[in-house]
């Protein structure tokens, strides 16, 4: 009977404690949803540019093979310079250049040359694009002309000639660090005050709600800024990852991201008033989405629509794009400015909610 009484007591405690129910039911559903739908290592719907500098039948017929492939979404131009900027903006994963004289060489039975320029930001995806393109061209040659070798496909990786995966992973890890410091640490700030019973004393001071908010935000902003530049130094000097942008632009990008990260952390801390729930909320809403949906490990374009929508409202998604651009390409304004604007909008949204939720009352 004593054991049954203890079991009954613990069972009632489970239903009274929302954190237990969240761990038991919400967390498994979240993980299954994110990993089951969000993570895909399959290459599909690859955006590729076709630079048809040769207007012969053979060149146009080869382009038609790409349009008929289930793996590619082609964009065609007669000038490669019109397509190459889309490699920088991540709208294309590769550009296949079919130069003048291609059709004449095929027609006369001579070896023809085509060029494939690949975005090296994601080496694994680049390798898949290269293999798929080579396989499609080889299959086309075999079906049409009964040979496998007449076309020589010369490949070149942009931004990552060494095809080193660290070049894309390190900027993503920096985004994880900034999300961890910005959201997870600040999510504990207000909750810690409530748990320790010091929030009442803080609210009784002459400080306004806005001053309290700034006092909570500024130290963690400075901490995150120092951590960002420390991570930059380690990335460049220890891991030999090139940084082709400016330090000032990195500071601007990280500051805009911290607006949303710090605001999100304080919202979680204010609402939960519990360090355990606050850290759990930060883990689910910021850190794990940064790992899974920001695009530094898994291609967002290969995810289902619901995950792509979540990625579109995730500030770390735009942070990763900016960091990869600064590291591998430099100050490319056509990429940086639109993503920085999105970071600013999301950041102001979170800061606005934080100010509204921060009130001097118990």
């Amino acid at each position: 009977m004593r054991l049954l009484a203890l079991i009954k007591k613990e069972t009632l405690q489970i239903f009274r404690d929302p954190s237990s129910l969240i761990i038991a039911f919400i967390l498994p559903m979240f993980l299954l949803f994110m990993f089951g739908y969000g993570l895909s290592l399959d290459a599909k719907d690859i955006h590729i540019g076709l630079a048809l500098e040769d207007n012969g039948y053979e060149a146009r017929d080869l382009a038609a093979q790409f349009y008929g492939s289930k793996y590619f979404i082609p964009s065609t131009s007669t000038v490669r310079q019109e397509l190459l900027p889309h490699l920088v903006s991540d709208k294309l994963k590769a550009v296949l250049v079919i130069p003048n004289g291609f059709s004449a060489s095929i027609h006369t039975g001579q070896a023809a040359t085509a060029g494939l320029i690949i975005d090296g930001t994601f080496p694994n995806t680049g390798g898949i694009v290269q293999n798929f393109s080579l396989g499609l061209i080889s299959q086309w040659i075999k079906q049409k002309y009964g040979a496998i070798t007449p076309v020589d496909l010369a490949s070149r990786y942009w931004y990552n000639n060494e095809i080193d995966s660290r070049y894309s992973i390190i900027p993503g890890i920096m985004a994880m660090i900034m999300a961890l410091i910005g959201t997870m640490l600040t999510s504990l700030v207000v909750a810690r005050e409530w748990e320790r019973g010091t929030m009442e004393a803080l609210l009784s001071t002459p400080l306004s709600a806005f001053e309290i908010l700034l006092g909570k935000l500024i130290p963690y902003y400075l901490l995150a800024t120092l951590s960002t530049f420390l991570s930059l130094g380690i990335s460049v000097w220890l891991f030999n990852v090139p940084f082709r942008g400016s330090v000032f632009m990195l500071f601007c990008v990280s500051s805009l991201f911290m607006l949303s990260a710090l605001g999100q952390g304080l919202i979680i801390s204010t609402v939960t008033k519990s360090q355990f729930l606050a850290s759990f909320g930060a883990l689910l809403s910021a850190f794990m989405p940064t790992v899974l949906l920001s695009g530094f490990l898994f291609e967002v374009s290969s995810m289902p629509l619901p995950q792509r929508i979540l990625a579109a409202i995730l500030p770390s998604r735009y942070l990763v794009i900016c960091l990869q651009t600064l590291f591998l390409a430099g100050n490319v304004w056509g990429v940086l400015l639109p993503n920085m604007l999105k970071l600013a909008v999301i950041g102001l949204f979170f800061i606005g909610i934080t100010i509204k939720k921060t009130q001097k009352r118990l």
Side-chain angles (χ1 to χ4, degrees), residues 85-93 119 121-122 299 317 321 335:
H86 296 305
L87 281 178
V88 182
S89 61
D90 198 36
K91 294 180 180 179
L92 295 177
K93 295 301 179 185
D119 179 6
T121 305
F122 292 93
E299 288 276 9
R317 168 64 179 150
I321 294 175
V335 178

Side-chain angles (χ1 to χ4, degrees), residues 2 36 54 62 68 83 98 103 158 174 237 241-242 278 281 305 357:
R2 290 180 296 180
D54 187 306
L62 176 58
L83 297 172
I98 303 178
S103 298
W158 272 19
M174 284 185 60
W237 292 317
V241 178
L305 181 60
K357 289 290 184 180

Side-chain angles (χ1 to χ4, degrees), residues 121-124 165-177 287-300 303 316-317 319-321 323-324:
T121 305
F122 292 93
N124 292 335
S165 60
R166 288 181 301 180
Y167 285 16
S168 61
I169 291 177
I170 292 298
I173 294 176
M174 284 185 60
M176 289 173 52
I177 293 171
F287 184 71
M288 289 187 64
T290 298
V291 176
L292 301 177
L293 297 177
S294 64
F296 90 95
L297 281 180
F298 307 99
E299 288 276 9
V300 175
M303 298 179 184
S316 57
R317 168 64 179 150
L319 174 65
V320 168
I321 294 175
L323 289 178
Q324 289 179 340

Side-chain angles (χ1 to χ4, degrees), residues 218-236:
I218 291 176
Y220 288 96
Y221 166 76
L222 296 175
L223 179 64
T225 301
L226 291 174
S227 177
T228 299
F229 287 107
L230 175 63
S231 301
L232 173 64
I234 294 175
S235 303
V236 174

